[in-house]
Structure formats: structure tokens, C-alpha cells
Amino acid sequence: MKERIERLKKLTYIPQNEIAWLIEQAELSVKQQEIIEENKRQQEVTVHQFRQAQKDIQHLSGESSRYKQALEKIITNLNFAITVAQNELEGDAK
């Protein structure tokens, strides 16, 4: 293709078939540029979604940790309440 373009640059008169080829190449170039721009846009969207997913995962991990701590406190309190109840039952049984 480069050779053909260089040959055309040297001509003073460009035949109709060569003009058609140039137009076809220009249209192809425009389509390729549109595809490249669309791919860039999709890539930006994907990167944004990925970063948002990372933030969501960090947030959920933090929530999970807080829930786990709260549940551990509840279990500890329940175990204490069970122990107290068992002691009271044993005291009443004596």
C-alpha cells in the first residue's frame, strides 16, 4: 500500500480507478479510527468497573469483619448467659 501511495504522489494526473481506491482507503481509515475509539471507550468503562468492583470488595470485606466481631461478642455474651443460667440451676437444685 505504501508503494502505491508513493507512486500516486508522483503522478500529475490521477486515474479514476486510483481515486476510487484512495476514497476506499480513506473510508477504511475512518472506520478503523472509529473502531479504535470505541475500543478505547470500552476499555475505559472496563477499567472503571474493575476499580469500582475493587472498592466494593474492600467495603464488603470491612463489613464482613465488623459483622464477625459483633457475632463473636454476641456468642461470648450468650456463653456467659448460659454459664450464669447453669450456675443458677445448679444452685437451685442443691
Side-chain angles (χ1 to χ4, degrees):
M1 182 159 87
K2 285 185 179 183
E3 295 86 21
R4 191 169 184 179
I5 292 171
E6 290 302 318
R7 186 174 57 81
L8 288 173
K9 285 181 182 177
K10 295 175 186 172
L11 297 176
T12 54
Y13 165 78
I14 301 177
Q16 190 65 31
N17 66 336
E18 296 295 347
I19 291 175
W21 180 81
L22 283 173
I23 291 170
E24 184 180 300
Q25 294 304 308
E27 290 171 344
L28 227 141
S29 178
V30 168
K31 287 179 184 176
Q32 288 174 339
Q33 189 61 37
E34 289 171 352
I35 290 170
I36 289 169
E37 289 173 7
E38 177 62 18
N39 286 343
K40 283 181 182 179
R41 188 191 67 74
Q42 289 178 1
Q43 185 178 20
E44 289 171 0
V45 168
T46 301
V47 167
H48 176 72
Q49 289 173 336
F50 177 76
R51 288 184 179 151
Q52 187 60 46
Q54 280 182 319
K55 288 178 184 178
D56 292 345
I57 289 169
Q58 289 173 348
H59 176 72
L60 292 172
S61 294
E63 279 187 6
S64 174
S65 178
R66 286 190 296 278
Y67 287 134
K68 183 178 177 184
Q69 289 174 353
L71 187 58
E72 287 172 352
K73 286 180 183 179
I74 291 170
I75 290 170
T76 301
N77 291 338
L78 286 173
N79 283 335
F80 178 74
I82 290 169
T83 302
V84 169
Q86 284 174 339
N87 289 340
E88 287 180 6
L89 286 173
E90 289 174 5
D92 289 341
K94 289 183 183 181

